[in-house]
Amino acid sequence: MRQRLSSEPDRYRGRRRVPTPPRSRYAAVVTTAFVGAGIVALGAGAMPDAKTVDPSAIADLDQASTQQDLAERAEDANRASRDGRSDTAAASDEVWLLPLHGYEFTSAYGMRWGQLHAGVDLAAPEGTPYRAVHAGTVKLAGYYGGYGNAVIIDHGNGIETIYGHSSQVAVKAGQQVKAGDTLGYVGSTGHAYGNHLHLEVHVNGEPRDPIPWFRDRGADIKLEVEAIAPDVAAS
């Protein structure tokens, strides 16, 4: 081994010298690289070139995929529609609505002039349509003493609602109605001091205060706010 001259540049000062791999390991690495390249080449040769595939075959595949996707979407839409109809029917049977909108609350339930005022009065212009607050059967539709032209709806379970002082009624006894159906039009027939709808709630023949009754069922008569139900028409 010759002695390094002091003038010869120090190529390894400050660096770690990487040892040269043994010849046998070097040969193995080179061989593996060539074999791998060969496999990749064979695989590439076996894969079809997209440019050589028949365009009509690709179009047929795309059309079949599109038709299947459209069929699946149609079935999903039909299923959602069926579910929506059943949900809407259930909502219509259960919902409680206000009898009309745009009214002025003028009189509450309670004693008035020495006798019970058994409902609430909602003032509105003559001819304003009012609607059923809940699903049921028309028990009476016509003149009813001091109530004037009135409608009584039997909601089942001993619950009835009375709508008084109508200018005219729009339903007949025995008719089935759902929440939101038009029952009649605001007026001042019977013992009335002006155009308004008189609304009562009876349970087993006994009058109840409509304000807490409706509030417990998602509607507020004083605030004129009601629960939102899908597809329930506001007539």
Side-chain angles (χ1 to χ4, degrees):
M1 180 182 296
R2 68 185 181 83
Q3 184 176 4
R4 181 173 59 85
L5 300 177
S6 59
S7 62
E8 191 174 58
D10 188 354
R11 291 176 296 173
Y12 308 109
R13 179 174 300 171
R15 296 183 298 170
R16 177 179 297 176
R17 182 177 182 180
V18 179
T20 302
R23 290 183 179 274
S24 58
R25 184 177 178 186
Y26 178 78
V29 170
V30 173
T31 302
T32 301
F34 276 108
V35 171
I39 292 173
V40 170
L42 288 174
M47 293 290 288
D49 186 349
K51 291 182 293 184
T52 63
V53 177
D54 186 357
S56 63
I58 295 177
D60 291 342
L61 289 173
D62 290 341
Q63 184 176 5
S65 176
T66 300
Q67 291 176 347
Q68 182 179 0
D69 183 56
L70 291 175
E72 291 176 353
R73 290 185 182 183
E75 177 58 27
D76 290 343
N78 290 335
R79 187 180 302 110
S81 179
R82 290 192 299 269
D83 294 343
R85 283 195 296 270
S86 61
D87 291 345
T88 299
S92 299
D93 290 340
E94 298 298 328
V95 71
W96 283 80
L97 302 177
L98 298 176
L100 73 163
H101 287 284
Y103 56 81
E104 180 184 356
F105 182 87
T106 57
S107 187
Y109 174 95
M111 297 302 296
R112 187 177 66 177
W113 303 324
Q115 59 183 354
L116 177 65
H117 181 244
V120 293
D121 291 342
L122 309 176
E126 182 178 5
T128 301
Y130 63 84
R131 57 187 183 169
V133 298
H134 192 65
T137 304
V138 178
K139 181 177 178 180
L140 178 145
Y143 199 81
Y144 190 50
Y147 292 93
N149 294 324
V151 176
I152 300 178
I153 304 296
D154 181 358
H155 303 290
N157 299 317
I159 302 169
E160 294 180 348
T161 49
I162 302 176
Y163 311 77
H165 309 312
S166 310
S167 59
Q168 59 181 325
V169 297
V171 291
K172 296 180 180 180
Q175 182 176 336
Q176 298 291 319
V177 296
K178 65 180 184 298
D181 285 350
T182 297
L183 300 180
Y185 303 89
V186 172
S188 59
T189 58
H191 299 164
Y193 53 85
N195 293 312
H196 69 281
L197 174 68
H198 175 82
L199 174 67
E200 294 184 13
V201 177
H202 289 209
V203 179
N204 297 323
E206 296 295 327
R208 300 289 182 87
D209 187 344
I211 292 177
W213 176 273
F214 276 83
R215 188 179 295 134
D216 291 344
R217 288 156 181 80
D220 194 309
I221 293 176
K222 282 192 170 182
L223 296 179
E224 199 178 329
V225 174
E226 64 189 7
I228 298 175
D231 295 340
V232 175
S235 300

